[in-house]
Amino acid sequence: MIAAVLAYPAASYGYALTYPGDASVPVRTVDWLRDIGLGGVVNAVENWWFTRHPPSSAPPPARDLPALGGLAVNGPGPRPRNLAVGPSAAAGAGEWLPGAHSGGGQVAEYTTFIQPDPAHASVVAGVAWLNQSLVRTQLFSGTKDPGGPGPAAIPDEMRSSLVAAFNSGFKLKDCNGGYYLDGTTVAPLHNGMASVVIDDTGRVSVAQWGRDATMNPHITAVRQNLDLVIDHGAPVPGLDLNPAGHWGSASNQFQFTWRSGLGTDRAGNLVYVGGTGLTLHTLADAMVQAGIRQGMELDIHSPMVMFNSYRPDAPGVGPDKLLPTMPANLTRYLQADQRDFFATSLRSRPPTAP
């Protein structure tokens, strides 16, 4: 009898460990615990651990900061203004470094870092700015979550123009969000939820579904996750209260952990923010500092927060992580992944691209 009782969890855990798609053993284990109904226990452990281990108030060591050498700060074409930083910020904070160049020679991506938490100077958030006139964005479904249409890895034909690949949001059942891709509704879309909306030109908007965006024939993808964090350039009310679990489980907002966010600036360019030691409040502060006017939280915790930059215009250069401390590897999303993700590519391939 005991053997029979133990057989099912053992078999289901074995299935979780061998399920197709890239994911570490710890990630597979946590996902399995949630799948068998122990999500509340996982949330309680995470709250206990991450709220009791605040980041250091000392300046960040050099190894935690992006390398600043080798590239000019300015590049051809439109570029964002340097971000305002405090007097004690590390050298290079808020200064943009150019990344991939388009076929016309303009810079499609700039990156920088900021320190958004005055009480914890060691906290570093990476920021990536993507010119949506020069790049197009696609949503890719994971093998497991949500398991929708299309490939679960960046296809070979996209790699010669690939600019960036980065994480999406919570698992759908953890955020109760909707998911639509290429004519297939994998999970119903809900009014009021923060949504990454991609149209048939590959342009992204971040919207409150039902207020800022509704379904139309030009939409190719919608990925929902929780509620908006930034609305009209300011943090939305209630982030420190998290009423009714609008931003994850109760007390999730107080965890010092890896967090990521996505939004658009005043000119409609795409901006990604990600770093460790962030609470929901300091993530929101970082997003505002980065110039986001409309923004949402993406995924949290290690190793879910990941942003890789590529240089299709400069063979042999890169790829690079947005922050050197980001835990996943540089080949993530080049092979099938269990979780959905976003990737951007150049609209016009550079002449030197293979």
Side-chain angles (χ1 to χ4, degrees):
M1 180 63 177
I2 295 177
V5 170
L6 295 177
Y8 173 74
S12 67
Y13 184 51
Y15 181 71
L17 291 177
T18 58
Y19 195 90
D22 184 41
S24 67
V25 171
V27 168
R28 291 171 184 264
T29 300
V30 169
D31 284 348
W32 173 73
L33 290 171
R34 292 187 182 278
D35 289 342
I36 63 172
L38 295 178
V41 175
V42 173
N43 292 337
V45 171
E46 288 177 346
N47 283 337
W48 180 87
W49 175 262
F50 289 114
T51 57
R52 286 165 174 78
H53 292 80
S56 168
S57 59
R63 65 176 181 273
D64 290 354
L65 303 177
L68 300 177
L71 290 172
V73 173
N74 293 314
R79 63 181 298 271
R81 294 181 179 179
N82 285 345
L83 303 179
V85 298
S88 60
E95 298 178 5
W96 297 101
L97 293 176
H101 290 56
S102 71
Q106 296 188 359
V107 179
E109 179 196 49
Y110 281 94
T111 60
T112 189
F113 70 92
I114 53 178
Q115 294 163 272
D117 187 350
H120 303 96
S122 65
V123 173
V124 176
V127 183
W129 178 94
L130 295 155
N131 185 335
Q132 293 211 80
S133 295
L134 302 177
V135 302
R136 66 177 72 247
T137 300
Q138 293 177 247
L139 173 63
F140 292 88
S141 297
T143 60
K144 185 176 182 181
D145 195 83
I154 296 168
D156 291 341
E157 60 270 21
M158 185 180 179
R159 299 185 185 189
S160 62
S161 60
L162 183 63
V163 173
F166 54 95
N167 62 281
S168 182
F170 286 28
K171 295 179 71 174
L172 291 187
K173 72 174 185 178
D174 292 335
C175 69
N176 297 314
Y179 191 100
Y180 171 87
L181 180 61
D182 294 336
T184 299
T185 300
V186 178
L189 301 173
H190 300 288
N191 285 340
M193 293 197 72
S195 307
V196 178
V197 182
I198 306 176
D199 68 19
D200 51 13
T201 70
R203 183 174 287 270
V204 173
S205 60
V206 175
Q208 179 177 301
W209 192 253
R211 184 195 72 178
D212 308 317
T214 55
M215 186 56 67
N216 67 66
H218 296 287
I219 290 177
T220 61
V222 182
R223 206 319 183 166
Q224 296 189 319
N225 194 56
L226 310 172
D227 285 7
L228 288 176
V229 171
I230 308 298
D231 197 13
H232 296 93
V236 301
L239 293 181
D240 289 333
L241 301 175
N242 194 15
H246 292 306
W247 298 283
S249 60
S251 299
N252 169 292
Q253 70 274 18
F254 299 125
Q255 295 180 22
F256 297 98
T257 188
W258 279 98
R259 293 182 189 269
S260 55
L262 186 69
T264 52
D265 66 11
R266 189 181 296 275
N269 299 296
L270 193 61
V271 182
Y272 174 99
V273 177
T276 191
L278 295 167
T279 64
L280 181 59
H281 181 82
T282 51
L283 172 66
D285 288 345
M287 293 170 72
V288 171
Q289 188 177 354
I292 289 176
R293 299 287 299 174
Q294 197 90 338
M296 59 191 282
E297 186 175 44
L298 295 179
D299 214 345
I300 69 174
H301 296 324
S302 172
M304 298 306 171
V305 177
M306 192 68 221
F307 187 104
N308 289 336
S309 293
Y310 300 85
R311 291 299 305 272
D313 59 309
V317 177
D320 290 306
K321 298 178 182 181
L322 182 59
L323 291 176
T325 53
M326 282 185 164
N329 60 54
L330 288 167
T331 61
R332 187 170 187 184
Y333 308 132
L334 297 178
Q335 54 192 346
D337 202 88
Q338 287 198 354
R339 301 284 292 275
D340 61 303
F341 64 93
F342 299 99
T344 63
S345 58
L346 294 172
R347 295 180 182 275
S348 174
R349 295 188 180 188
T352 55

